[in-house]
Structure formats: structure tokens, C-alpha cells
Amino acid sequence: MQEIRQNFIPVSVADKLIAAHDGNVALLYIWMCRCGSFNAERAARELCLTLSEVNSAYEKLCRLELFEEKTAVKEPLPLPAEELPQYTSEDIIRRSETDSGFRAVLNEAQRKLGRVLSTSDIKTLFGIYDFLALPPDVIFMLLTYCIDSFKAKYGSGRLPSMRSIEKEAYSWANKEILTLEQAEEYIKKAAERRSKLGEVKSALGITGRQLTATEAKYVNSWLDMGFDCGTLAVAYDRTVTNTGALKWGYMNKIVTSWHEKGLHSIEDVEQNDTRPSAVKPANRHSGKVTNDELERLRSIYKKVKNG
């Protein structure tokens, strides 16, 4: 009797399929594993699905990167808002009644934001859950992260809009943050970066305001290069000494120069970045006249006077 070969779904793949919250996606994945390639018409016929349902499931499989390039074309996630599916109110109501996961996400979002979400907000939230396929517990972490980030930036009286939450959700999806552990690690690193930004801001003498987007871009690039607050404080001191103010472009040239030379610590800079001493102007008098010089000048004066 011929042995039947069995296919096993890896745990990582199973996690993504579960996170998709869509039975059509799992069904199409199994079908494509069996057939080895994608044919929308054949899949629709054999799986008893509409062509639209098959194409939608296939697009989600591509976003989840569950197939190699030879069987599925990899495309980057679309930009927020413009490319979200146009969900109808009926779609939302139907899924809310049958999908306990989305009900939990909706209830938690309204609780954390302290308000009843509008129809537009609910559609956006559903897109995060359905289109981006973020699991409910990850969305809970996402909401907490966005709320905490807004409080840190604007104060306790400000809460994020669903639009800003959506933008962060796209960032998480592109970084493949699909588990609670990945979300916790990302939030931990983000908190560490915010702390470092605060330390650098203080070292640069900036108080009473947040860094602008351009300023934050400079500082983040320096931190990414491997500089700590102490070394950046040295660059700041040189910038102010030479220009009289904090000139971001000037300081960036100093920091970039150090990075290119491999100088990242204060010790490295002090030992290897020796600036040349100022050159004294030629024939400049010291301001002091010796007795011999004075007598010589008097002698010259008398000769000139007596002709």
C-alpha cells in the first residue's frame, strides 16, 4: 500500500493564519500547499468561493509572506487610509455579532479612549483587525502604546486619534509584530529610545518643549550611529563655542565626521580628534617693548631727525 505523504504546518505559519481571523485565508493556504501555485479561477471553483473572496484571501497571504516569491508576489503593505478596504456598516455589524475577537477589540478601544467610537473610527479599527491581521492581544498593546506615547508628548489631556493609531498599526504590521512577546519587546525598546532622546535634549540645553521632527531625526540618527549622551554633549560644546548657538547642521557635520573616523566615545574623541591650534598672524607685535628695542628705536629716530 502506497504511503501517503503528510504536510505539517509550521508553528510560525499557524500563528499568522490564526492572526488573520479569516477562514478563507487558511483554506487557500492549504489549497496552495497542495497545488503548489496560485490560480484564482481554479481555487474559486474547487473551494466553492467567489473570485473576490479568493483574491482577497490571496492578497492577505502575500502580505503575511507565507509563500516564496515563485508562488506569491510579495508586495509592501499599502499606505494607511488610502488603501484600506471599503467596509460597509453591514460588514462591521455582521462581524461584530459573529467574531468575539473583534468585539473584544472594540470594547477595549472604547474603554481605553474613554468614548464611543464613531462609525468611521470603528471601520478603521476593523481594518486594523481584519486587513492588517493583528491579533486582539497585540491590538490591546498597540492601543496602550499609542495612548502612553501621546501622553508623554502632549500631556495627560491628549488622546490619539484613530488615524494616528492606524498609522502606528501599519508600522507594527510592517515590522511583523504579531505576538504579545514581540509587542512587549518593541515597546521596551521604544521606551529606552524615548529616554535617550530626553537625555540628549537636556544635554543640548533644550527645555520646556519637545524636539521638532527635524531635531528628533538628527538625534535619532546620532543614536543609531552609536553615540551616547556624553559624546554628543562634547559635539554640542564645540558647536556652540565655534558658532555661538546650537546649529544642527554644523553639529551634524562634527558627529558624522567622528562616526566616519570610528570615534564614538569621549575618550576616542579626546585622543584622536585633535584640532590644530590657531595660527598666530605673521609680524604681530606682542605688545611689550624691551629696553634694548627702545634704545634702538631712539637711535634710529635721532639719525632720521639730524639728517
Side-chain angles (χ1 to χ4, degrees), residues 10-132:
V11 173
S12 60
V13 172
D15 287 341
K16 289 185 176 183
L17 292 175
I18 293 171
H21 319 295
D22 191 333
N24 290 342
V25 173
L27 188 61
L28 182 62
Y29 175 83
I30 295 172
W31 183 87
M32 290 181 67
C33 286
R34 182 69 177 82
C35 298
S37 62
F38 176 68
N39 182 299
E41 293 184 356
R42 179 185 171 190
R45 183 174 63 255
E46 295 184 1
L47 298 176
C48 298
L49 299 173
T50 66
L51 215 63
S52 175
E53 290 173 328
V54 168
N55 286 325
S56 176
Y58 176 73
E59 289 175 2
K60 189 173 290 188
L61 283 174
C62 290
R63 290 198 305 276
L64 295 174
E65 299 185 351
L66 291 178
F67 284 96
E68 298 178 1
E69 292 185 5
K70 64 182 181 180
T71 56
V73 179
K74 291 185 178 180
E75 298 180 355
L77 284 171
L79 295 175
E82 289 79 8
E83 298 296 333
L84 279 177
Q86 297 299 312
Y87 298 107
T88 66
S89 299
E90 290 74 19
D91 291 333
I92 306 298
I93 293 173
R94 177 174 54 81
R95 290 291 294 272
S96 298
E97 292 175 347
T98 60
D99 193 326
S100 60
F102 179 63
R103 285 202 307 273
V105 167
L106 178 58
N107 292 335
E108 185 68 6
Q110 294 185 141
R111 186 185 70 81
K112 286 183 177 295
L113 295 174
R115 61 183 175 85
V116 176
L117 298 185
S118 66
T119 301
S120 176
D121 285 345
I122 293 176
K123 288 182 179 180
T124 301
L125 184 64
F126 184 69
I128 294 172
Y129 176 81
D130 180 72
F131 184 68
L132 297 183

Side-chain angles (χ1 to χ4, degrees), residues 179-245:
T179 68
L180 195 59
E181 292 74 20
Q182 290 171 331
E184 290 175 343
E185 181 65 20
Y186 175 80
I187 292 174
K188 178 183 176 182
K189 290 182 178 179
E192 292 173 351
R193 176 52 63 95
R194 280 199 304 270
S195 177
K196 289 182 179 179
L197 283 172
E199 292 175 2
V200 174
K201 183 164 75 78
S202 298
L204 301 185
I206 300 174
T207 59
R209 68 173 181 84
Q210 296 292 327
L211 293 173
T212 67
T214 300
E215 291 171 343
K217 185 176 180 181
Y218 273 122
V219 176
N220 276 312
S221 69
W222 300 336
L223 293 174
D224 289 339
M225 290 177 191
F227 289 97
D228 59 22
C229 185
T231 313
L232 294 177
V234 175
Y236 167 71
D237 179 72
R238 292 193 181 184
T239 300
V240 175
T241 300
N242 294 336
T243 68

